[in-house]
PDB file of all heavy atoms in Angstrom:
ATOM      1  N   ARG A  12      93.833  94.829  93.831  1.00  0.00           N
ATOM      2  CA  ARG A  12      92.673  93.934  93.985  1.00  0.00           C
ATOM      3  C   ARG A  12      92.556  93.439  95.425  1.00  0.00           C
ATOM      4  O   ARG A  12      91.453  93.293  95.952  1.00  0.00           O
ATOM      5  CB  ARG A  12      92.789  92.753  93.025  1.00  0.00           C
ATOM      6  CG  ARG A  12      92.297  93.043  91.620  1.00  0.00           C
ATOM      7  CD  ARG A  12      92.178  91.774  90.785  1.00  0.00           C
ATOM      8  NE  ARG A  12      93.477  91.282  90.393  1.00  0.00           N
ATOM      9  CZ  ARG A  12      94.096  91.646  89.282  1.00  0.00           C
ATOM     10  NH1 ARG A  12      93.543  92.519  88.461  1.00  0.00           N
ATOM     11  NH2 ARG A  12      95.284  91.157  88.978  1.00  0.00           N
ATOM     12  N   LEU A  13      93.689  93.188  96.046  1.00  0.00           N
ATOM     13  CA  LEU A  13      93.674  92.711  97.433  1.00  0.00           C
ATOM     14  C   LEU A  13      93.259  93.818  98.397  1.00  0.00           C
ATOM     15  O   LEU A  13      92.508  93.573  99.343  1.00  0.00           O
ATOM     16  CB  LEU A  13      95.062  92.174  97.809  1.00  0.00           C
ATOM     17  CG  LEU A  13      95.502  90.892  97.098  1.00  0.00           C
ATOM     18  CD1 LEU A  13      96.952  90.572  97.428  1.00  0.00           C
ATOM     19  CD2 LEU A  13      94.602  89.726  97.479  1.00  0.00           C
ATOM     20  N   ASN A  14      93.751  95.039  98.176  1.00  0.00           N
ATOM     21  CA  ASN A  14      93.449  96.142  99.081  1.00  0.00           C
ATOM     22  C   ASN A  14      92.053  96.710  98.884  1.00  0.00           C
ATOM     23  O   ASN A  14      91.403  97.140  99.837  1.00  0.00           O
ATOM     24  CB  ASN A  14      94.477  97.267  98.913  1.00  0.00           C
ATOM     25  CG  ASN A  14      95.813  96.947  99.537  1.00  0.00           C
ATOM     26  OD1 ASN A  14      95.881  96.249 100.546  1.00  0.00           O
ATOM     27  ND2 ASN A  14      96.885  97.455  98.947  1.00  0.00           N
ATOM     28  N   TYR A  15      91.600  96.731  97.615  1.00  0.00           N
ATOM     29  CA  TYR A  15      90.326  97.367  97.282  1.00  0.00           C
ATOM     30  C   TYR A  15      89.433  96.384  96.531  1.00  0.00           C
ATOM     31  O   TYR A  15      89.127  96.574  95.342  1.00  0.00           O
ATOM     32  CB  TYR A  15      90.574  98.629  96.445  1.00  0.00           C
ATOM     33  CG  TYR A  15      91.576  99.556  97.070  1.00  0.00           C
ATOM     34  CD1 TYR A  15      92.874  99.661  96.567  1.00  0.00           C
ATOM     35  CD2 TYR A  15      91.252 100.316  98.194  1.00  0.00           C
ATOM     36  CE1 TYR A  15      93.812 100.498  97.156  1.00  0.00           C
ATOM     37  CE2 TYR A  15      92.173 101.147  98.784  1.00  0.00           C
ATOM     38  CZ  TYR A  15      93.456 101.238  98.265  1.00  0.00           C
ATOM     39  OH  TYR A  15      94.384 102.075  98.860  1.00  0.00           O
ATOM     40  N   PRO A  16      88.999  95.332  97.201  1.00  0.00           N
ATOM     41  CA  PRO A  16      88.216  94.295  96.514  1.00  0.00           C
ATOM     42  C   PRO A  16      86.917  94.818  95.918  1.00  0.00           C
ATOM     43  O   PRO A  16      86.433  94.286  94.922  1.00  0.00           O
ATOM     44  CB  PRO A  16      87.956  93.269  97.619  1.00  0.00           C
ATOM     45  CG  PRO A  16      88.132  94.010  98.910  1.00  0.00           C
ATOM     46  CD  PRO A  16      89.187  95.034  98.636  1.00  0.00           C
ATOM     47  N   GLY A  17      86.359  95.871  96.517  1.00  0.00           N
ATOM     48  CA  GLY A  17      85.129  96.437  95.986  1.00  0.00           C
ATOM     49  C   GLY A  17      85.284  97.077  94.623  1.00  0.00           C
ATOM     50  O   GLY A  17      84.306  97.329  93.923  1.00  0.00           O
ATOM     51  N   ARG A  18      86.533  97.325  94.214  1.00  0.00           N
ATOM     52  CA  ARG A  18      86.813  97.878  92.889  1.00  0.00           C
ATOM     53  C   ARG A  18      86.697  96.828  91.793  1.00  0.00           C
ATOM     54  O   ARG A  18      86.569  97.163  90.617  1.00  0.00           O
ATOM     55  CB  ARG A  18      88.233  98.439  92.827  1.00  0.00           C
ATOM     56  CG  ARG A  18      88.619  99.482  93.848  1.00  0.00           C
ATOM     57  CD  ARG A  18      88.354 100.884  93.324  1.00  0.00           C
ATOM     58  NE  ARG A  18      87.006 101.339  93.636  1.00  0.00           N
ATOM     59  CZ  ARG A  18      86.476 102.453  93.158  1.00  0.00           C
ATOM     60  NH1 ARG A  18      87.169 103.191  92.315  1.00  0.00           N
ATOM     61  NH2 ARG A  18      85.264 102.829  93.500  1.00  0.00           N
ATOM     62  N   TYR A  19      86.798  95.549  92.185  1.00  0.00           N
ATOM     63  CA  TYR A  19      86.948  94.484  91.195  1.00  0.00           C
ATOM     64  C   TYR A  19      85.834  93.441  91.229  1.00  0.00           C
ATOM     65  O   TYR A  19      85.744  92.607  90.345  1.00  0.00           O
ATOM     66  CB  TYR A  19      88.299  93.781  91.379  1.00  0.00           C
ATOM     67  CG  TYR A  19      89.463  94.697  91.091  1.00  0.00           C
ATOM     68  CD1 TYR A  19      90.024  95.467  92.094  1.00  0.00           C
ATOM     69  CD2 TYR A  19      89.982  94.802  89.803  1.00  0.00           C
ATOM     70  CE1 TYR A  19      91.087  96.325  91.826  1.00  0.00           C
ATOM     71  CE2 TYR A  19      91.041  95.645  89.527  1.00  0.00           C
ATOM     72  CZ  TYR A  19      91.595  96.407  90.547  1.00  0.00           C
ATOM     73  OH  TYR A  19      92.641  97.259  90.282  1.00  0.00           O
ATOM     74  N   GLN A  20      85.014  93.468  92.266  1.00  0.00           N
ATOM     75  CA  GLN A  20      83.938  92.487  92.344  1.00  0.00           C
ATOM     76  C   GLN A  20      82.808  93.049  93.192  1.00  0.00           C
ATOM     77  O   GLN A  20      83.011  93.977  93.981  1.00  0.00           O
ATOM     78  CB  GLN A  20      84.452  91.189  92.992  1.00  0.00           C
ATOM     79  CG  GLN A  20      85.003  91.380  94.400  1.00  0.00           C
ATOM     80  CD  GLN A  20      85.564  90.116  94.987  1.00  0.00           C
ATOM     81  OE1 GLN A  20      84.888  89.112  95.040  1.00  0.00           O
ATOM     82  NE2 GLN A  20      86.815  90.165  95.436  1.00  0.00           N
ATOM     83  N   ALA A  21      81.635  92.488  93.014  1.00  0.00           N
ATOM     84  CA  ALA A  21      80.504  92.901  93.836  1.00  0.00           C
ATOM     85  C   ALA A  21      80.746  92.400  95.254  1.00  0.00           C
ATOM     86  O   ALA A  21      80.823  91.201  95.491  1.00  0.00           O
ATOM     87  CB  ALA A  21      79.209  92.327  93.272  1.00  0.00           C
ATOM     88  N   LEU A  22      80.917  93.325  96.175  1.00  0.00           N
ATOM     89  CA  LEU A  22      81.258  92.971  97.553  1.00  0.00           C
ATOM     90  C   LEU A  22      80.192  93.535  98.471  1.00  0.00           C
ATOM     91  O   LEU A  22      79.844  94.716  98.386  1.00  0.00           O
ATOM     92  CB  LEU A  22      82.636  93.536  97.906  1.00  0.00           C
ATOM     93  CG  LEU A  22      83.326  92.979  99.134  1.00  0.00           C
ATOM     94  CD1 LEU A  22      83.679  91.504  98.917  1.00  0.00           C
ATOM     95  CD2 LEU A  22      84.600  93.763  99.442  1.00  0.00           C
ATOM     96  N   ALA A  23      79.689  92.701  99.339  1.00  0.00           N
ATOM     97  CA  ALA A  23      78.637  93.140 100.254  1.00  0.00           C
ATOM     98  C   ALA A  23      79.152  94.249 101.164  1.00  0.00           C
ATOM     99  O   ALA A  23      80.227  94.144 101.752  1.00  0.00           O
ATOM    100  CB  ALA A  23      78.149  91.966 101.084  1.00  0.00           C
ATOM    101  N   SER A  24      78.389  95.316 101.253  1.00  0.00           N
ATOM    102  CA  SER A  24      78.743  96.444 102.099  1.00  0.00           C
ATOM    103  C   SER A  24      77.869  96.410 103.344  1.00  0.00           C
ATOM    104  O   SER A  24      76.653  96.253 103.249  1.00  0.00           O
ATOM    105  CB  SER A  24      78.527  97.754 101.329  1.00  0.00           C
ATOM    106  OG  SER A  24      78.729  98.866 102.162  1.00  0.00           O
ATOM    107  N   ASP A  25      78.491  96.512 104.506  1.00  0.00           N
ATOM    108  CA  ASP A  25      77.732  96.574 105.749  1.00  0.00           C
ATOM    109  C   ASP A  25      76.978  97.908 105.772  1.00  0.00           C
ATOM    110  O   ASP A  25      77.598  98.979 105.711  1.00  0.00           O
ATOM    111  CB  ASP A  25      78.673  96.468 106.949  1.00  0.00           C
ATOM    112  CG  ASP A  25      77.928  96.470 108.272  1.00  0.00           C
ATOM    113  OD1 ASP A  25      77.398  97.537 108.645  1.00  0.00           O
ATOM    114  OD2 ASP A  25      77.884  95.414 108.925  1.00  0.00           O
ATOM    115  N   SER A  26      75.667  97.846 105.834  1.00  0.00           N
ATOM    116  CA  SER A  26      74.865  99.063 105.702  1.00  0.00           C
ATOM    117  C   SER A  26      75.187 100.080 106.798  1.00  0.00           C
ATOM    118  O   SER A  26      75.245 101.288 106.538  1.00  0.00           O
ATOM    119  CB  SER A  26      73.381  98.727 105.718  1.00  0.00           C
ATOM    120  OG  SER A  26      73.035  98.051 106.922  1.00  0.00           O
ATOM    121  N   LYS A  27      75.448  99.601 108.012  1.00  0.00           N
ATOM    122  CA  LYS A  27      75.773 100.517 109.107  1.00  0.00           C
ATOM    123  C   LYS A  27      77.095 101.215 108.831  1.00  0.00           C
ATOM    124  O   LYS A  27      77.219 102.436 108.988  1.00  0.00           O
ATOM    125  CB  LYS A  27      75.838  99.754 110.431  1.00  0.00           C
ATOM    126  CG  LYS A  27      76.129 100.646 111.626  1.00  0.00           C
ATOM    127  CD  LYS A  27      76.175  99.850 112.916  1.00  0.00           C
ATOM    128  CE  LYS A  27      76.519 100.753 114.084  1.00  0.00           C
ATOM    129  NZ  LYS A  27      76.622  99.979 115.366  1.00  0.00           N
ATOM    130  N   ASP A  28      78.127 100.439 108.435  1.00  0.00           N
ATOM    131  CA  ASP A  28      79.423 101.027 108.112  1.00  0.00           C
ATOM    132  C   ASP A  28      79.296 102.052 106.995  1.00  0.00           C
ATOM    133  O   ASP A  28      79.921 103.119 107.034  1.00  0.00           O
ATOM    134  CB  ASP A  28      80.419  99.943 107.675  1.00  0.00           C
ATOM    135  CG  ASP A  28      80.944  99.110 108.839  1.00  0.00           C
ATOM    136  OD1 ASP A  28      80.728  99.508 109.993  1.00  0.00           O
ATOM    137  OD2 ASP A  28      81.564  98.059 108.573  1.00  0.00           O
ATOM    138  N   HIS A  29      78.496 101.726 105.993  1.00  0.00           N
ATOM    139  CA  HIS A  29      78.355 102.617 104.841  1.00  0.00           C
ATOM    140  C   HIS A  29      77.675 103.923 105.236  1.00  0.00           C
ATOM    141  O   HIS A  29      78.114 105.011 104.820  1.00  0.00           O
ATOM    142  CB  HIS A  29      77.560 101.919 103.742  1.00  0.00           C
ATOM    143  CG  HIS A  29      77.556 102.675 102.447  1.00  0.00           C
ATOM    144  ND1 HIS A  29      78.623 102.665 101.576  1.00  0.00           N
ATOM    145  CD2 HIS A  29      76.621 103.492 101.893  1.00  0.00           C
ATOM    146  CE1 HIS A  29      78.353 103.431 100.539  1.00  0.00           C
ATOM    147  NE2 HIS A  29      77.145 103.935 100.708  1.00  0.00           N
ATOM    148  N   ILE A  30      76.647 103.823 106.042  1.00  0.00           N
ATOM    149  CA  ILE A  30      75.933 105.019 106.489  1.00  0.00           C
ATOM    150  C   ILE A  30      76.846 105.923 107.302  1.00  0.00           C
ATOM    151  O   ILE A  30      76.881 107.141 107.125  1.00  0.00           O
ATOM    152  CB  ILE A  30      74.678 104.625 107.300  1.00  0.00           C
ATOM    153  CG1 ILE A  30      73.627 104.001 106.372  1.00  0.00           C
ATOM    154  CG2 ILE A  30      74.090 105.843 108.015  1.00  0.00           C
ATOM    155  CD1 ILE A  30      72.486 103.335 107.102  1.00  0.00           C
ATOM    156  N   VAL A  31      77.620 105.323 108.210  1.00  0.00           N
ATOM    157  CA  VAL A  31      78.549 106.095 109.039  1.00  0.00           C
ATOM    158  C   VAL A  31      79.629 106.738 108.175  1.00  0.00           C
ATOM    159  O   VAL A  31      79.986 107.908 108.353  1.00  0.00           O
ATOM    160  CB  VAL A  31      79.194 105.203 110.127  1.00  0.00           C
ATOM    161  CG1 VAL A  31      80.335 105.933 110.828  1.00  0.00           C
ATOM    162  CG2 VAL A  31      78.146 104.762 111.146  1.00  0.00           C
ATOM    163  N   CYS A  32      80.136 105.973 107.208  1.00  0.00           N
ATOM    164  CA  CYS A  32      81.159 106.500 106.296  1.00  0.00           C
ATOM    165  C   CYS A  32      80.640 107.715 105.533  1.00  0.00           C
ATOM    166  O   CYS A  32      81.331 108.739 105.420  1.00  0.00           O
ATOM    167  CB  CYS A  32      81.603 105.401 105.336  1.00  0.00           C
ATOM    168  SG  CYS A  32      82.886 105.883 104.161  1.00  0.00           S
ATOM    169  N   GLU A  33      79.430 107.638 105.011  1.00  0.00           N
ATOM    170  CA  GLU A  33      78.852 108.760 104.276  1.00  0.00           C
ATOM    171  C   GLU A  33      78.653 109.967 105.196  1.00  0.00           C
ATOM    172  O   GLU A  33      78.897 111.115 104.798  1.00  0.00           O
ATOM    173  CB  GLU A  33      77.515 108.354 103.659  1.00  0.00           C
ATOM    174  CG  GLU A  33      77.628 107.378 102.503  1.00  0.00           C
ATOM    175  CD  GLU A  33      78.198 108.020 101.252  1.00  0.00           C
ATOM    176  OE1 GLU A  33      78.182 109.260 101.141  1.00  0.00           O
ATOM    177  OE2 GLU A  33      78.659 107.264 100.359  1.00  0.00           O
TER     178      GLU A  33
END
Side-chain angles (χ1 to χ4, degrees):
R12 277 191 286 271
L13 292 173
N14 285 328
Y15 309 105
R18 304 268 89 188
Y19 295 90
Q20 59 183 306
L22 196 66
S24 174
D25 182 289
S26 58
K27 182 180 178 182
D28 285 348
H29 189 78
I30 290 168
V31 170
C32 181
E33 289 288 341

